């Protein structure tokens, strides 16, 4: 995918810009009968229509596959791209004899699928050994165009306190190894084994950002810039800020909602930078605590108010967060759709809550897998 800042069309307030947004999603491939992860990525890729293969690729493990939407200004274009790609990939998976799941990690116990045969991945395994998780960790990465790296670094400073809120919205992995983990996002817990996974630090400048990358590579905790697994970073490939905190969302509706909120958060940050409004300098350890709480509770419990350090109902924090983003949402024409999608999220709960609701009704993880597969292919949240 590519990212860029596009000049605002006529009718937009002078001096404002509309930002492009693009989405990358990682999926799990499972046995349709047992729900266990299977090493089927090559079989599925063979079944992907030729015209879509440039937007589909392997991920870290042979049980994973990834898509990337082209960047766009309109949420409708993101919705269309994700819908087409998910549907085509689900069909390809079925032709290959497996099933596609938009889920943070596999709920059903089984053998750990091997890592994709790639020199870089081989080096990662050689250095980091048993840090490889179970069936495969599947996330969602949202790219928003920024004009230059220096602005991008300032945006990172402004968005870092608010990422626990996005973390809570995207929780979609409560089960692992055949049982409820007690977390809404078990993927987050497994992902944090990697030494370069962390909240984005406070950054003085783009030079500081680059210096930290060089130092982390020299320390051995990263092989290269691609292993900079901060929750928000500058893309190494595109002129974008990349937010990479969440589990992959169960449905297209959920993904579109997160993409809209991420773009609004970046646009709000850019407006603050332009107006010389300072970023909230949240303590690193408070952010660690806020992210842990988000991974544990999702939206169904408590969240950390990063302005006070106190616990508040997660939905109360989300409502305040969205209201703070409202000017940017309205600027991009997203307010009505986001309001509607939030209503659906409030009714149906996060992906984690939906999975637990199915399990509470049936007591069978295979039913959870089937329900996630249905949401993956379709556009609805329930």
């Amino acid at each position: 995918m590519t990212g860029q800042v596009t000049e605002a069309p006529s009718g937009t307030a002078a001096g404002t810009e509309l930002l492009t947004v693009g989405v990358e999603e990682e999926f799990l491939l499972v046995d349709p009968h047992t729900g266990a992860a299977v090493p089927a990525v090559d079989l599925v890729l063979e079944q992907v229509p030729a015209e879509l293969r440039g937007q589909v690729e392997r991920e870290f493990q042979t049980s994973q596959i990834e898509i990337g939407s082209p960047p766009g200004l309109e949420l409708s274009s993101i919705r269309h791209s994700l819908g087409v790609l998910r549907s085509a990939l689900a069909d390809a998976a079925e032709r290959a004899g497996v099933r596609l799941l938009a889920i943070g990690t596999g709920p059903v116990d089984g053998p750990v699928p091997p890592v994709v045969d790639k020199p870089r991945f081989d080096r990662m395994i050689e250095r980091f050994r048993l840090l490889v998780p179970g069936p495969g960790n599947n996330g969602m990465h949202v790219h928003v165009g920024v004009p230059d790296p220096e602005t991008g670094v300032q945006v990172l400073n402004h968005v870092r306190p608010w990422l626990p809120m996005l973390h809570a919205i995207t929780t979609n992995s409560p089960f692992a190894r055949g049982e409820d983990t007690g977390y809404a996002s078990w993927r987050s817990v497994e992902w944090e084994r990697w030494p370069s996974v962390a909240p984005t630090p406070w950054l003085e400048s783009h030079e500081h950002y680059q210096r930290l990358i060089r130092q982390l590579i020299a320390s051995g905790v990263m092989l290269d810039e691609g292993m900079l697994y901060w929750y928000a970073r500058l893309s190494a490939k595109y002129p974008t800020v990349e937010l990479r905190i969440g589990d992959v969302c169960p449905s297209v509706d959920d993904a579109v909602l997160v993409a809209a909120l991420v773009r609004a958060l970046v646009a709000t940050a850019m407006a603050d930078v332009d107006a010389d409004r300072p970023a909230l300098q949240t303590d690193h350890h408070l952010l660690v605590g806020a992210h842990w709480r988000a991974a544990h509770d999702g939206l169904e419990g408590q969240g950390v108010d990063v302005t006070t350090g106190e616990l508040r109902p997660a939905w109360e924090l989300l409502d305040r967060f969205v209201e703070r983003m409202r000017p940017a949402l309205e600027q991009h024409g997203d307010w009505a759709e986001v309001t509607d999608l939030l209503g659906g999220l409030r009714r149906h709960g996060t992906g984690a809550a939906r999975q637990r609701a199915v399990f509470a009704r049936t007591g069978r993880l295979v039913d959870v897998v089937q329900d996630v597969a249905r949401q993956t292919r379709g556009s609805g949240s329930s």
Side-chain angles (χ1 to χ4, degrees):
M1 61 163 287
T2 58
Q4 60 184 7
V5 176
T6 303
E7 290 301 322
S10 59
T12 302
T16 64
E17 294 173 326
L18 299 184
L19 307 182
T20 58
V21 60
V23 174
E24 298 169 345
E25 295 186 303
E26 299 161 354
F27 303 99
L28 189 68
L29 302 172
V30 302
D31 183 291
H33 305 294
T34 68
V38 289
V41 65
D42 288 336
L43 293 175
V44 175
L45 282 171
E46 289 174 1
Q47 299 296 326
V48 173
E51 65 272 16
L52 296 179
R53 288 179 184 170
Q55 295 172 262
V56 181
E57 61 184 1
R58 296 170 182 83
E59 235 296 315
F60 188 60
Q61 286 172 262
T62 52
S63 53
Q64 297 175 278
I65 196 164
E66 181 179 12
I67 63 172
S69 76
L73 287 173
E74 303 293 336
L75 289 186
S76 59
S77 68
I78 301 299
R79 177 182 293 280
H80 174 75
S81 295
L82 293 180
V84 168
L85 287 165
R86 281 180 175 228
S87 178
L89 210 55
D91 287 342
E94 290 182 8
R95 288 193 293 270
V98 299
R99 183 163 287 165
L100 184 77
L101 295 187
I103 196 168
T105 193
V108 176
D109 201 11
V112 176
V115 172
V116 168
D117 185 12
K118 186 177 179 181
R120 179 172 179 268
F121 293 164
D122 292 341
R123 293 196 303 274
M124 290 171 70
I125 295 301
E126 181 180 2
R127 178 171 299 180
F128 299 104
R129 307 296 292 177
L130 293 178
L131 294 186
V132 176
N137 284 167
N138 304 297
M140 173 188 186
H141 307 157
V142 183
H143 290 256
V144 180
V146 291
D148 58 79
E150 202 65 57
T151 301
V153 164
Q154 297 307 309
V155 166
L156 294 179
N157 285 341
H158 280 260
V159 304
R160 62 190 288 273
W162 311 109
L163 298 188
M165 199 71 263
L166 296 169
H167 197 164
I169 293 170
T170 57
T171 49
N172 187 34
S173 50
F175 297 103
R177 301 178 185 89
E179 60 185 72
D180 194 319
T181 64
Y183 283 79
S185 175
W186 186 247
R187 179 203 64 88
S188 302
V189 177
E190 291 192 325
W191 183 232
E192 286 172 3
R193 296 175 183 177
W194 293 92
S196 55
V197 174
T200 308
W202 182 267
L203 299 160
E204 298 169 2
S205 63
H206 185 233
E207 192 282 326
H208 181 209
Y209 180 91
Q210 293 178 309
R211 184 169 73 249
L212 278 175
I213 291 173
R214 293 193 299 269
Q215 290 169 337
L216 290 171
I217 292 172
S219 76
V221 304
M222 300 183 345
L223 293 180
D224 50 39
E225 186 173 352
M227 283 191 70
L228 186 71
Y229 297 144
W230 294 344
Y231 298 153
R233 69 182 187 183
L234 302 182
S235 172
K237 297 180 180 179
Y238 313 116
T240 63
V241 166
E242 180 185 4
L243 274 64
R244 44 187 300 116
I245 182 55
D247 291 357
V248 64
C249 291
S251 74
V252 171
D253 275 355
D254 298 308
V256 170
L257 171 61
V258 173
L261 292 176
V262 168
R263 175 165 65 178
L265 179 59
V266 171
T268 301
M270 289 181 63
D272 287 343
V273 170
D274 289 343
D276 291 324
R277 288 189 287 267
L280 181 66
Q281 294 198 40
T282 308
D283 182 85
H284 170 80
H285 294 286
L286 180 59
L287 278 183
V288 169
H291 280 288
W292 178 86
R293 193 78 199 200
H296 187 273
D297 287 21
L299 289 176
E300 282 67 45
Q302 302 286 303
V304 176
D305 184 338
V306 294
T307 65
T308 65
E310 298 176 350
L311 285 180
R312 305 294 301 171
W315 266 102
E316 176 185 318
L317 295 175
L318 177 55
D319 288 340
R320 285 163 43 187
F321 172 79
V322 172
E323 190 61 34
R324 185 174 184 272
M325 303 303 129
R326 181 167 182 166
L329 289 167
E330 291 179 337
Q331 175 192 343
H332 285 84
D334 298 343
W335 176 252
E337 183 162 6
V338 164
T339 300
D340 181 61
L341 292 173
L342 281 170
L345 184 63
R346 194 183 296 270
R347 289 190 301 274
H348 306 302
T350 61
R354 292 172 222 164
Q355 290 184 47
R356 283 175 168 146
V358 172
F359 189 75
R361 289 196 303 269
T362 73
R364 291 168 17 111
L365 282 176
V366 68
D367 294 330
V368 173
V369 168
Q370 290 175 356
D371 190 68
V372 173
R374 179 187 56 78
Q375 291 184 70
T376 301
R377 176 189 288 279
S379 62
S381 298
S382 63

